């Protein structure tokens, strides 16, 4: 881990320390373990020939401000209307301008399962994620030691959170292999340089065990991107910027959900 990714992780660790000082680990755990209705995440992806995890995204380090005045609930409703299989909500505040309040508002507005997209570096954040009502959580292999990844996956399962484990290269795939995650996201974007290669997910998916639900993330902009991934055997996509910037996100989603693999 290096460069800007390390900067983000360092900042997030500071935020977690402040959060623990406000709400103790014990109190957050009690809230997280309270009964709640969970919406199946992986099953929602598998139910659609083309499954889009549509993302509520205000900004990013690579693209700057995208939609700071975005209404999380209204955006979520549009995504559901367009046929999204699930929702992703960025909750990191400094660099992505998101929040857990966005997640809570978005999930309340729709019936889709919701993923918390965050830089998870501490067990506290998993309790926080469950307490906020999320159905799934992103775990980024690049920022975790193998022992952390295994522990976080186990804790997520205990909290009835499905883990979408993100990889970027073969080293990440080797790191996650012992834990056999059923849900793997392949990031087409290098989180250190922010360079994007939309053929990456297709290439790396060949190294994952059959039966893994693979999600292509980053750089998905048009129908050809969807079709290229379908030809590589990937039918689930996490898309943020393109949908947030679209004049008609409902229409765009509908067009993607109806794309057929012509290969």
């Amino acid at each position: 881990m290096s460069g800007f990714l390390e900067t983000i992780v360092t900042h997030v660790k500071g935020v977690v320390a402040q959060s623990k000082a406000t709400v103790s680990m014990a109190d957050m755990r009690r809230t997280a373990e309270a009964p709640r209705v969970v919406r199946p995440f992986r099953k929602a992806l598998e139910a659609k020939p083309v499954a889009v995890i549509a993302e509520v995204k205000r900004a990013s380090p690579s693209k700057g401000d995208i939609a700071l005045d975005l209404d999380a609930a209204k955006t979520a409703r549009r995504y559901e209307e367009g046929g999204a299989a699930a929702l992703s909500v960025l909750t990191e505040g400094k660099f992505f301008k998101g929040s857990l309040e966005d997640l809570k508002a978005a999930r309340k507005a729709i019936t889709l399962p919701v993923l918390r997209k965050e830089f998870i570096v501490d067990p506290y954040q998993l309790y926080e994620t469950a307490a906020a009502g999320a159905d799934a959580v992103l775990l980024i292999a690049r920022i975790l030691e193998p022992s952390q990844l295994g522990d976080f996956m186990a804790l997520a399962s205990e909290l009835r959170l499905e883990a979408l484990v993100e990889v970027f290269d073969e080293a990440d795939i080797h790191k996650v292999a012992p834990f056999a995650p059923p849900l793997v996201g392949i990031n087409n974007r290098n989180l250190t340089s922010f360079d994007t290669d939309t053929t990456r997910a297709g290439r790396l998916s060949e190294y994952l065990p059959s039966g893994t639900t693979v999600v292509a993330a980053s750089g998905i902009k048009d129908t050809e991107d969807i079709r290229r991934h379908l030809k590589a055997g990937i039918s689930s996509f996490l898309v943020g910027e393109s949908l947030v910037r679209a004049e008609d996100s409902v229409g765009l989603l509908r067009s993607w959900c109806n794309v057929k693999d012509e290969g």
Side-chain angles (χ1 to χ4, degrees):
M1 181 172 59
S2 60
F4 200 69
L5 181 58
E6 186 172 4
T7 299
I8 295 174
V9 168
T10 299
H11 172 73
V12 168
K13 287 179 178 178
V15 172
V16 172
Q18 292 174 353
S19 297
K20 287 179 179 178
T22 303
V23 180
S24 71
M25 175 79 89
D27 286 345
M28 189 61 73
R29 179 174 181 171
R30 276 192 290 272
T31 304
E33 292 176 343
R36 74 183 196 279
V37 176
V38 177
R39 303 167 186 170
F41 189 83
R42 184 185 185 196
K43 188 176 293 184
L45 302 184
E46 294 178 338
K48 289 178 174 283
V50 176
V52 178
I53 306 168
E55 189 161 86
V56 174
K57 184 174 187 176
R58 297 177 182 275
S60 77
S62 60
K63 301 295 183 179
D65 295 344
I66 299 171
L68 294 183
D69 59 348
L70 175 150
D71 184 305
K74 289 181 180 179
T75 301
R77 283 192 288 267
R78 287 198 297 271
Y79 289 165
E80 184 169 42
E81 182 184 352
L87 194 77
S88 169
V89 182
L90 269 157
T91 61
E92 195 284 319
K94 181 175 181 179
F95 302 101
F96 292 86
K97 310 296 173 64
S99 69
L100 281 169
E101 293 309 310
D102 279 344
L103 189 148
K104 294 173 185 177
R107 192 179 187 280
K108 186 177 180 180
I110 58 174
T111 62
L112 301 177
V114 177
L115 168 80
R116 181 188 185 188
K117 191 173 180 186
E118 178 60 89
F119 297 82
I120 302 295
V121 293
D122 190 289
Y124 183 91
Q125 293 169 286
L126 293 172
Y127 292 122
E128 190 180 54
T129 301
D135 306 288
V137 64
L138 183 73
L139 297 178
I140 304 173
R142 182 60 56 91
I143 67 175
L144 299 172
E145 296 297 327
S147 59
Q148 285 181 303
L149 180 60
D151 289 346
F152 287 4
M153 287 181 65
L155 179 55
S157 180
E158 290 176 17
L159 295 172
R160 297 190 298 153
L161 291 167
E162 294 185 62
L164 174 61
V165 178
E166 179 183 299
V167 300
F168 172 71
D169 56 19
E170 290 183 50
D172 287 345
I173 290 177
H174 290 314
K175 181 188 287 189
V176 308
F179 309 107
L183 265 170
V184 175
I186 301 177
N187 200 337
N188 287 319
R189 179 172 293 125
N190 186 327
L191 291 179
T192 300
S193 67
F194 296 117
D195 292 336
T196 302
D197 174 6
T198 56
T199 68
R200 173 175 291 276
R203 294 196 309 272
L204 288 182
S205 65
E206 298 178 4
Y207 297 100
L208 295 170
S210 62
T212 305
T213 300
V214 180
V215 178
S218 300
I220 310 298
K221 296 180 179 179
D222 54 36
T223 300
E224 288 309 309
D225 289 328
I226 298 288
R227 189 169 285 118
R228 183 185 311 112
H229 285 85
L230 288 174
K231 289 179 179 178
I234 299 173
S235 59
S236 295
F237 308 88
L238 195 156
V239 187
E241 181 189 353
S242 298
L243 287 173
V244 173
R245 292 190 187 278
E247 292 185 8
D248 180 11
S249 59
V250 173
L252 183 58
L253 270 168
R254 285 176 177 165
S255 69
W256 286 350
C257 290
N258 288 316
V259 172
K260 306 296 182 184
D261 179 6
E262 297 177 352

